[in-house]
Amino acid sequence: MKIRLDNVVKTFETFRAVHGVSLDIDSGQLVALLGPSGSGKTTILRMIAGLEYADGGRIFFGDIDATAIPVRDRGVGFVFQNYALFPHMTVGENIAFGMKVSKVRRSREAMAARVGELLDQVRLSGLADRFPSQISGGQRQRVALARALAVDPKVLLLDEPFGALDANVRRELRRWLREFHDQLGITTIFVTHDQEEALDLADRVVILNEGRIVQQGTPEEVCRRPDSAFVMRFLGDAHRLVGKVTGGVAKVAGGTVNVDGPQAGEVEILVRPGDVRWGEGDIPASVIRIIDRPDGRRLLARLDDGSDVEIDTPPETAVASGDRGTVRVMRAQVFPLRN
Amino acid sequence: MTRRRVLPGLRLALGVTLLYAAIIIVLPLGALVFKAASLGPEDYWRIVSSGRALASYRVTVLSALAATAFNLVFGMALAWVLVRYRFPGKRFVDALVDLPFALPTAVAGIALTTLFAPNGWFGEPLAAIGVTVAYTPLGIMVAMAFTSLPFIVRTVQPVLEDLDPALEEAAQTLGGSDASIFVRVILPLLAPALLAGVSLSFARSLGEFGAIIFIAGNQPFETEITALLAFIRLEEYDYQAAAAIASVLLITAFLMLAVTNLLQARALRYTARG
């Protein structure tokens, strides 16, 4: 099912949560809505589900205008952040709930068969008679998923699906969800504030800030060609230098950085720790701190204009706090300086 | 090594608790049972099954059931509104709920009688449409409902506050209608609290005295409640008969609370961890 949002607006009392968001999602895609808290990502998800009504704009499911269709008739599967499993029902009853309240009558046997099939799919066979309080967080999440899928939704919506799980379970479930999505082929939208999760899982990432879409594209597009300093910083560690560009070279803190592209004049230069070298180049700097990590050493260095950069180096790099030296910026994203 | 606790140890705490329970609850009830037991079985049976006593049980139990049913619906609605909505004066309404607890029941009875008397604020318009409340069983129900309302509101309120609105939203996304969400999701989750509130409300109604005697009219066989009958026997210095009648109330209340506890344990079985 294709989903299309056309200039959707949502205001809460005095606070505008979503400003004219337009978005096209192709059938069968796995899309991440990524943004910091307060960026409106959950509100957008809830509007697609029909749990919030849009104050303006339209939402289309395929060619049908779904804007005014109430949530119970919209045919979405929604997985809540804390799963919202019914605590007084067993796992099996939770999954069967949608079929029981459906207008389509099913026989008891048909429902039991479908529940068994879904439990197999989410690899929880044998847990049908447990109550939600008797299973682990990761299992609850998969029950919530099975419950949402039981009513054959047109689109699957997940609100921070891994937010309440610990790091190891999270990584494992993420891989599993990706495989699961590829089997089912159902259009899926999930909300997250974790860029690693979004990049790891999604076909397409929609980055939001303050109720607006700031950039969207494949993980490769948003990583390689961030179109604002916000996106660059939000997607990973980045440090900001300020310089002046003339003829493809920026003068920065007593040294130079090569920049591609047409920029000229005052610019901000954003660099990732992996794209900076220690002991090369011509920008003078001193090491302030050294952080040792399993996969290398990270140096925190201060340039002579007071700005800081972080540098990823191999683990055997011989360097001590307080050392003077030079750094070279291998690759950078350059944006015109805003005042 | 035993863990250090904030309150004094088990032996002292248990001792004090049991002593208090014995002095305040068990001793008076024991005396009551003892007094009633000093009657022979035949006399006891004759007193508790006399026509006047039977009529008083009927009036008391039926009125208490009606009052509790009313409170079940109205108390739940009140709790729902207090938890789920924000409106001016909400804190005032919330405080008002406890008023029947704080008010001396006799004061409540006199106030209700004044309101529902044939020339009262409520009584006059009601009389015009042919409904008499004061000095009828309806008056008993009104008095019972008034004094026991807080039980349902106060037992349901905290459970409703903890009820995650996402549960209702989840049920909606799964296609549940409002009625099916209420019946299948909200009601089962509130059931243990409702049950507790209902049993307290009903027990209180069975034993209510002060608020009722002013509005009931107290006609034997018609509007005489069991507690009043026990009181009348007491005034006649027939202590044994009074104790016998009171023991019926006691046994009823006790049985009902026991049954409710069993039902509650069943309704809460999903919270058990396995």
Side-chain angles (χ1 to χ4, degrees):
Chain A
M1 181 67 60
K2 269 178 78 124
I3 308 287
R4 187 156 69 85
L5 273 66
D6 182 18
N7 208 19
V8 170
V9 175
K10 179 75 193 180
T11 309
F12 290 116
E13 293 184 3
T14 57
F15 162 70
R16 178 160 281 201
V18 176
H19 301 259
V21 163
S22 296
L23 185 61
D24 271 286
I25 293 165
D26 283 338
S27 195
Q29 266 193 336
L30 179 53
V31 173
L33 300 181
L34 172 67
S37 60
S39 58
K41 56 193 190 302
T42 296
T43 308
I44 292 172
L45 196 75
R46 290 172 60 86
M47 284 194 288
I48 297 173
L51 290 168
E52 296 304 342
Y53 281 107
D55 296 329
R58 286 163 183 286
I59 296 166
F60 293 92
F61 280 27
D63 296 324
I64 300 159
D65 183 350
T67 319
I69 298 177
V71 49
R72 65 174 54 95
D73 300 322
R74 220 176 261 202
V76 298
F78 201 104
V79 176
F80 289 81
Q81 196 169 357
N82 297 312
Y83 320 133
L85 296 179
F86 306 125
H88 58 298
M89 296 183 199
T90 62
V91 165
E93 289 167 343
N94 262 286
I95 296 172
F97 182 87
M99 293 185 273
K100 273 187 195 150
V101 299
S102 161
K103 285 168 196 135
V104 186
R105 292 259 163 245
R106 292 174 176 84
S107 69
R108 192 176 290 269
E109 293 73 35
M111 278 196 268
R114 179 83 176 116
V115 168
E117 191 185 310
L118 283 159
L119 279 171
D120 278 344
Q121 274 183 341
V122 298
R123 298 187 305 194
L124 290 175
S125 356
L127 294 185
D129 296 326
R130 301 277 193 90
F131 284 103
S133 61
Q134 297 169 326
I135 58 177
S136 73
Q139 290 172 330
R140 277 179 220 167
Q141 201 232 19
R142 283 180 281 155
V143 173
L145 194 62
R147 183 178 69 174
L149 291 171
V151 288
D152 299 314
K154 301 188 195 88
V155 49
L156 187 59
L157 306 171
L158 305 104
D159 187 6
E160 298 273 3
F162 309 104
L165 302 170
D166 59 49
N168 288 331
V169 181
R170 191 186 286 213
R171 200 157 298 132
E172 192 186 312
L173 268 176
R174 206 193 277 165
R175 293 279 145 76
W176 173 79
L177 186 68
R178 179 71 236 192
E179 285 170 29
F180 195 65
H181 172 266
D182 292 346
Q183 283 169 25
L184 293 174
I186 180 172
T187 311
T188 304
I189 306 170
F190 73 101
V191 154
T192 180
H193 63 269
D194 179 342
Q195 59 320 74
E196 193 191 318
E197 195 169 290
L199 296 172
D200 192 355
L201 198 52
D203 297 318
R204 212 146 67 85
V205 179
V206 178
I207 301 166
L208 293 144
N209 189 32
E210 292 175 347
R212 291 191 172 83
I213 294 177
V214 290
Q215 190 174 359
Q216 51 175 311
T218 62
E220 189 194 358
E221 282 164 357
V222 295
C223 288
R224 299 297 158 250
R225 290 189 296 283
D227 58 14
S228 65
F230 171 82
V231 171
M232 177 80 182
R233 282 162 172 277
F234 190 69
L235 288 178
D237 290 339
H239 289 81
R240 177 176 181 268
L241 308 173
V242 175
K244 194 162 189 174
V245 180
T246 36
V249 178
K251 282 205 155 44
V252 176
T256 56
V257 175
N258 289 325
V259 295
D260 311 330
Q263 281 95 347
E266 300 273 315
V267 291
E268 56 180 340
I269 301 165
L270 286 136
V271 296
R272 301 226 183 265
D275 296 335
V276 186
R277 298 279 160 78
W278 174 250
E280 298 177 25
D282 60 0
I283 308 172
S286 32
V287 174
I288 303 171
R289 215 162 95 77
I290 298 166
I291 302 158
D292 281 303
R293 297 179 160 190
D295 51 357
R297 296 196 115 167
R298 179 169 282 195
L299 315 182
L300 177 56
R302 183 158 291 162
L303 309 189
D304 290 351
D305 68 353
S307 48
D308 289 342
V309 287
E310 285 181 357
I311 307 160
D312 277 343
T313 63
E316 61 279 3
T317 309
V319 67
S321 190
D323 284 4
R324 281 288 288 178
T326 54
V327 298
R328 168 140 82 160
V329 174
M330 310 297 291
R331 196 181 296 119
Q333 297 290 338
V334 183
F335 303 100
L337 189 66
R338 283 181 308 172
N339 291 311
Chain B
M1 214 183 94
T2 51
R3 211 143 47 99
R4 175 95 178 77
R5 292 176 199 271
V6 176
L7 290 175
L10 175 69
R11 257 180 283 177
L12 180 61
L14 188 68
V16 170
T17 320
L18 284 183
L19 185 70
Y20 265 79
I23 293 175
I24 293 177
I25 304 174
V26 179
L27 202 62
L29 296 183
L32 175 75
V33 173
F34 184 75
K35 199 79 186 166
S38 65
L39 286 165
E42 276 166 31
D43 283 338
Y44 180 83
W45 184 248
R46 187 177 46 75
I47 291 167
V48 301
S49 66
S50 72
R52 189 169 170 187
L54 289 178
S56 82
Y57 306 149
R58 204 176 48 104
V59 169
T60 311
V61 170
L62 290 181
S63 304
L65 280 176
T68 304
F70 174 82
N71 279 348
L72 177 63
V73 176
F74 186 65
M76 193 162 88
L78 194 53
W80 183 269
V81 168
L82 285 174
V83 172
R84 287 293 170 92
Y85 299 99
R86 287 167 55 191
F87 53 91
K90 172 172 162 162
R91 290 175 65 100
F92 178 70
V93 175
D94 197 59
L96 218 54
V97 169
D98 287 329
L99 203 62
F101 276 167
L103 207 62
T105 52
V107 175
I110 293 166
L112 288 173
T113 313
T114 316
L115 281 176
F116 284 102
N119 57 355
W121 288 357
F122 294 170
E124 209 169 325
L126 283 172
I129 56 165
V131 180
T132 337
V133 176
Y135 319 125
T136 67
L138 206 54
I140 302 178
M141 290 172 206
V142 170
M144 285 176 170
F146 178 85
T147 50
S148 61
L149 177 68
F151 286 111
I152 307 237
V153 179
R154 291 296 181 231
T155 47
V156 171
Q157 212 173 2
V159 181
L160 261 183
E161 263 157 18
D162 287 345
L163 196 68
D164 185 358
L167 292 179
E168 288 151 56
E169 291 182 340
Q172 284 182 331
T173 62
L174 294 166
S177 64
D178 290 343
S180 66
I181 293 172
F182 183 73
V183 172
R184 289 172 187 272
V185 179
I186 298 173
L187 216 49
L189 291 171
L190 292 184
L194 282 172
L195 212 57
V198 160
S199 70
L200 289 171
S201 170
F202 185 69
R204 171 70 192 261
S205 295
L206 281 185
E208 182 51 46
F209 180 73
I212 296 171
I213 52 167
F214 292 98
I215 201 172
N218 308 325
Q219 289 299 312
F221 297 99
E222 277 169 33
T223 54
E224 186 178 63
I225 56 165
T226 310
L228 179 66
L229 187 60
F231 183 70
I232 290 171
R233 293 286 174 261
L234 209 60
E235 291 213 300
E236 294 166 351
Y237 302 107
D238 191 351
Y239 295 131
Q240 289 177 325
I245 291 165
S247 70
V248 174
L249 280 182
L250 179 69
I251 291 162
T252 316
F254 187 77
L255 281 179
M256 194 202 52
L257 292 174
V259 169
T260 330
N261 273 345
L262 282 177
L263 287 176
Q264 221 177 347
R266 216 188 103 74
L268 276 173
R269 84 205 131 95
Y270 63 83
T271 53
R273 290 172 175 275

